[in-house]
Amino acid sequence: MRKSLLFMLIALLSASVYAGGYRVSTQGQRALAMGHAGVAVVNSAELAFFNPAGLVYLENKLNVSAGVTGVISNVRWQNGETGQFAETENNLSTPFYLYASYQVTDWFTVGLSAYTPYGSSVEYPTDWAGSHLVNDIDLQAIYIQPLVSFKLSEYFSVGGGPIFVTGGVNFNRNINRTLTDENGNRSNVEIDASNVTNMGWSASFMFNPTENLRIGMNYRSEIILEAENGDATFSNVPNSPLAPVENGTVAFDASLPLPAEFTVGLSYKFCEKWLFAFDYNRTIWEVYNSLDIDFAPEGVPDSFNPRNYKNASTYRFGLQYQALDKLTLRVGYYFDETPVRSGYFAPETPRNDSHGYTGGLSYQITPAIAVDASFVYLRFEEVQESYDYYQENGQNVPFGGTYKSNAFLPGLGVTVNL
């Protein structure tokens, strides 16, 4: 029973770090409409996220971009042998961003960004077949970053700054597959950790070898979040000396890794009205090879659990067309590799290789204000997989099936240039 509980906590923390197993890429409506490619695109304060080095090339003195995206995800699970079926509720999560830059001199710009690269809401039906692994999870992590951008020459610039991260997660699941109280209610545990913080950094450059060609690079560091004195609340536990825990709340500590990311790309303007962009992103997921849990109560052993993630790449393509003086159209596509290895596929991280199909537009309301809109259809490749490391009564009890997942992401933002 204790091993079952330990695994549950590990599963929770894995989900909380990786937002359901994948990072939701919604850090700018203009870039998102172009497949989320933006490391070499100079068109708004969205550069504060994609490539701070490019901020110094913006034409206006003050630039602001803000927006929100609605993420509606759906996961369907089925066991082909038993016919058991479950589908997540279509809950709405709303990651946001706010970027601003100010040109101090012709060669120096400062900026500030706030965004939510990790955020997820997943809810399965009550007492579904995998309720011993997860019932629901709600996560949000906010990144806040002051920035500087230096133009070293007409063709080359650098930028970056420190990152402050704060976040929290709430997670619920049944303790195991069978335990109930005297009234038949499933024994349950709810995990809550809030105000988890730490620091990181980013660094970038931009190179403009010709008038129409830009090349960019951005690196975002690994960040380890230290969750201390989180609360695990047990309920519906039978009043028996054989029960492994009692009803009530206990504390736990854990270290949560957020992986480093490296992005390189280019943009090319052609035929006066067209712009093509390509980004290659490499995320260092191998930092998440295991997770250690330190429990405060005496008698509850610390836990070590393998996850064995692998590094993964994302390929992003975007196209922009200046249709009218006030109207810009955009389309894009990206392919995102999964970091999850075979045998480690858990229902709180139900992701496989995915394809993102994107589109959007900007409309210039006034010379200083534009409205930006985007839409993404994200389709995950169907996969038949299992998680083989859940333990109950000293035995591994694999949980698997066929997963079909997709997500719809409509977004709206505003760009201000003064």
Side-chain angles (χ1 to χ4, degrees):
M1 188 75 68
R2 285 178 177 173
K3 291 183 178 179
S4 170
L5 171 60
L6 297 181
F7 169 78
M8 177 279 300
L9 291 170
I10 292 164
L12 154 70
L13 294 173
S14 69
S16 68
V17 174
Y18 297 112
Y22 57 92
R23 186 173 82 75
V24 180
S25 298
T26 60
Q27 279 70 63
Q29 305 304 332
R30 294 189 176 192
L32 187 55
M34 298 174 63
H36 212 244
V39 75
V41 178
V42 177
N43 63 8
S44 71
E46 290 181 12
L47 282 161
F49 170 80
F50 290 95
N51 189 342
L55 291 172
V56 75
Y57 294 112
L58 292 173
E59 295 180 356
N60 298 91
K61 197 171 188 66
L62 176 65
N63 303 274
V64 179
S65 293
V68 64
T69 302
V71 180
I72 306 169
S73 60
N74 176 267
V75 180
R76 296 180 179 182
W77 168 87
Q78 185 168 25
N79 186 312
E81 296 180 357
T82 65
Q84 292 173 302
F85 173 83
E87 183 175 4
T88 60
E89 300 290 334
N90 289 325
N91 292 331
L92 175 68
S93 57
T94 53
F96 69 88
Y97 63 87
L98 173 63
Y99 310 124
S101 71
Y102 180 77
Q103 186 184 66
V104 180
T105 70
D106 290 341
W107 54 270
F108 176 51
T109 294
V110 296
L112 181 68
S113 66
Y115 52 96
T116 52
Y118 298 95
S120 182
S121 179
V122 177
E123 182 178 355
Y124 285 91
T126 303
D127 289 340
W128 74 293
S131 63
H132 58 290
L133 298 177
V134 59
N135 281 319
D136 60 73
I137 180 172
D138 188 16
L139 158 80
Q140 187 176 63
I142 301 174
Y143 281 42
I144 301 172
Q145 183 174 20
L147 299 160
V148 293
S149 179
F150 294 94
K151 184 189 294 185
L152 302 182
S153 74
E154 181 182 353
Y155 307 101
F156 190 79
S157 64
V158 296
I163 302 173
F164 172 76
V165 182
T166 181
V169 63
N170 183 273
F171 177 85
N172 179 283
R173 60 149 276 186
N174 296 125
I175 290 179
N176 67 15
R177 297 178 299 165
T178 58
L179 189 65
T180 65
D181 66 8
E182 294 80 358
N183 297 318
N185 300 310
R186 293 284 299 278
S187 300
N188 187 269
V189 62
E190 181 174 343
I191 302 296
D192 188 76
S194 59
N195 299 320
V196 184
T197 64
N198 207 347
M199 299 290 295
W201 57 275
S202 75
S204 63
F205 76 77
M206 183 170 284
F207 176 50
N208 311 303
T210 72
E211 182 179 354
N212 294 328
L213 176 65
R214 298 184 190 271
I215 298 170
M217 185 281 294
N218 188 38
Y219 177 81
R220 192 169 293 105
S221 73
E222 169 189 312
I223 300 174
I224 305 297
L225 293 183
E226 302 289 343
E228 299 180 351
N229 295 317
D231 292 332
T233 302
F234 299 93
S235 58
N236 300 329
V237 178
N239 184 16
S240 168
L242 299 179
V245 295
E246 297 179 351
N247 289 317
T249 301
V250 300
F252 69 90
D253 299 339
S255 296
L256 315 178
L258 301 177
E261 293 185 26
F262 171 83
T263 305
V264 62
L266 61 85
S267 69
Y268 184 73
K269 186 176 181 180
F270 60 99
C271 299
E272 295 186 1
K273 296 185 176 183
W274 292 87
L275 179 75
F276 169 77
F278 168 74
D279 282 9
Y280 169 76
N281 173 272
R282 185 71 170 174
T283 304
I284 313 303
W285 293 100
E286 66 181 6
V287 66
Y288 188 40
N289 55 24
S290 66
L291 187 62
D292 298 328
I293 309 294
D294 182 14
F295 293 91
E298 293 290 336
V300 180
D302 296 338
S303 176
F304 173 82
N305 192 78
R307 297 303 281 188
N308 201 28
Y309 270 35
K310 60 183 178 180
N311 297 339
S313 299
T314 305
Y315 306 86
R316 305 182 181 278
F317 304 85
L319 194 63
Q320 174 180 285
Y321 175 61
Q322 188 69 45
L324 302 170
D325 289 342
K326 295 185 177 182
L327 179 65
T328 304
L329 305 177
R330 302 180 181 93
V331 295
Y333 164 81
Y334 66 87
F335 175 70
D336 189 2
E337 296 177 345
T338 178
V340 183
R341 297 180 188 269
S342 180
Y344 294 84
F345 204 94
E348 83 281 349
T349 55
R351 70 153 296 173
N352 195 28
D353 293 344
S354 62
H355 304 264
Y357 304 91
T358 75
L361 57 86
S362 291
Y363 185 77
Q364 200 73 35
I365 299 176
T366 71
I369 302 174
V371 173
D372 306 315
S374 69
F375 181 81
V376 180
Y377 171 62
L378 185 60
R379 181 181 66 84
F380 294 88
E381 295 181 2
E382 181 179 326
V383 60
Q384 184 172 347
E385 264 294 355
S386 65
Y387 191 85
D388 299 335
Y389 295 92
Y390 173 79
Q391 281 202 346
E392 200 167 292
N393 299 322
Q395 300 293 323
N396 281 345
V397 184
F399 178 85
T402 299
Y403 292 85
K404 297 180 181 180
S405 307
N406 59 43
F408 299 89
L409 295 85
L412 190 64
V414 61
T415 296
V416 179
N417 302 310
L418 299 173

